[in-house]
Amino acid sequence: MTRKIGIIGTGHVGGAVAEGAIFQGLADDYVLIDSNPEKLDSEVLDLIEAQPNLKHHANIISNDWDALDDADVIISALGNIGLQKNATGGNARFIEAEYNAKQLKSVAAKLKATKFNGVLVVITNPNDVIVTLYQKLTGFPKEKVIGTGTLLDTVRMKNAVGETFDVDPRSVQGYNLGEHGNSQFTAWSTVKILDESIEPVAAEKGIDLNQIANISRDNGYRVLNGKGYTSYAIAASALRLTETILNDSHEELPVSTFREGHEVALSYPAVIGRDGVLGHGHLHLTDEEETKLTGSYDFVTERYHLLLEKIENDEL
């Protein structure tokens, strides 16, 4: 059996995803879609000319929506992150909301017209709202529309904890939950280091966990302000999620999904496999953390309805 990945949008992030997937040999066939044919041709040529130095061969198809019919995973990387540089306070990822929702209308219609029955992985921001809109407009099963969500925020938290406590971040357990945005939070009750709950360890060492939480929330803006966009870390998150799906590995990841009885997608640990979301974990959060999670859900729900109304009224 061959594996096929589709990537919609080959900008900074989509290009990094394509590069990473092809360099790692995640799939055999790739379908790259972009609204700028000249830019796409250049990306494809660059990737083809890299292959003689790689261990893997990749077949690359350009701008053919029908070729997505038998894709295992499609990754939505459309967006315009440059708009976030104009943000002043608030949730900067929502600066992209109307622009991306407008693009999504067309993309969702084209996806709906295909025979695609795989898993849609969404990178596009504001992530949780866009995940929800994709599912609404395509009609794809909820378990097969997944956002990268706070998988990236969790990694940033683990990096900050690892640096503070001088351990490899891969040794840190725990999650950031909620919206992939300002209302996300580190659920410290879930975080362990050296197989101990981090809170008493931090208290003993006089370490302020709030500072670490701020780093995990704000490092994306630090990268954005420095180089004008983010790419590597979010691409790595998307590739990890994609590999989990392709391998049917049943790994538990904090990604943006639809929990039972919830109208919108939000990040919470989910078991991921070839059929998408196979189930959700059950965290024993503190009352304060539950309140934060509810607040994050309410924020995303409100923003989703505002965008959906504009789409339905042809205002975008």
Side-chain angles (χ1 to χ4, degrees), residues 4-8 68-76 111 115-122 131 134 138 140-148 238 241-248 255-257 271-278:
K4 180 184 280 190
I5 295 174
I7 301 173
I8 302 174
L68 296 173
D69 284 352
D70 60 347
D72 298 289
V73 177
I74 295 176
I75 301 169
S76 169
L111 284 178
K115 299 176 183 177
F116 175 65
N117 191 38
V119 179
L120 177 62
V121 169
V122 181
V131 169
Y134 257 124
T138 61
F140 291 164
K142 287 186 175 181
E143 66 273 14
K144 289 192 172 185
V145 184
I146 306 173
T148 46
L241 175 54
T242 299
E243 186 173 21
T244 301
I245 295 164
L246 292 174
N247 291 344
D248 195 27
V255 287
S256 187
T257 61
V271 179
I272 305 298
R274 179 165 283 273
D275 291 325
V277 178
L278 307 178

Side-chain angles (χ1 to χ4, degrees), residues 180-296:
H180 177 56
N182 283 3
S183 69
Q184 64 89 15
F185 63 98
T186 302
W188 290 116
S189 66
T190 70
V191 180
K192 287 188 176 182
I193 185 170
L194 303 175
D195 207 32
E196 294 184 70
S197 176
I198 195 172
E199 292 176 298
V201 176
E204 181 181 339
K205 294 179 177 292
I207 293 172
D208 184 0
L209 293 179
N210 288 326
Q211 290 185 358
I212 296 176
N214 290 340
I215 290 172
S216 64
R217 186 190 64 226
D218 297 337
N219 265 6
Y221 301 123
R222 180 181 172 187
V223 175
L224 172 66
N225 291 331
K227 70 178 197 177
Y229 57 92
T230 62
S231 56
Y232 304 134
I234 182 56
S237 295
L239 290 170
R240 182 181 178 188
L241 175 54
T242 299
E243 186 173 21
T244 301
I245 295 164
L246 292 174
N247 291 344
D248 195 27
S249 59
H250 294 212
E251 185 176 358
E252 189 174 50
L253 298 173
V255 287
S256 187
T257 61
F258 297 89
R259 293 168 66 197
E260 186 175 355
H262 286 201
E263 181 183 16
V264 301
L266 207 67
S267 284
Y268 195 88
V271 179
I272 305 298
R274 179 165 283 273
D275 291 325
V277 178
L278 307 178
H280 288 92
H282 181 68
L283 301 176
H284 298 285
L285 302 177
T286 66
D287 289 345
E288 181 182 2
E289 290 166 348
E290 288 285 4
T291 298
K292 289 180 178 179
L293 188 62
T294 299
S296 196

Side-chain angles (χ1 to χ4, degrees), residues 97-160:
E98 293 193 1
Y99 176 90
N100 289 344
K102 184 176 181 179
Q103 311 308 310
L104 185 151
K105 281 177 62 179
S106 173
V107 169
K110 291 175 180 177
L111 284 178
K112 192 174 181 179
T114 69
K115 299 176 183 177
F116 175 65
N117 191 38
V119 179
L120 177 62
V121 169
V122 181
I123 300 173
T124 303
N125 279 323
N127 194 243
D128 311 280
V129 169
I130 296 296
V131 169
T132 308
L133 284 173
Y134 257 124
Q135 194 282 322
K136 173 74 173 179
L137 297 180
T138 61
F140 291 164
K142 287 186 175 181
E143 66 273 14
K144 289 192 172 185
V145 184
I146 306 173
T148 46
T150 61
L151 180 56
L152 175 54
D153 304 288
T154 296
V155 167
R156 286 173 173 152
M157 176 272 290
K158 290 181 177 182
N159 274 328

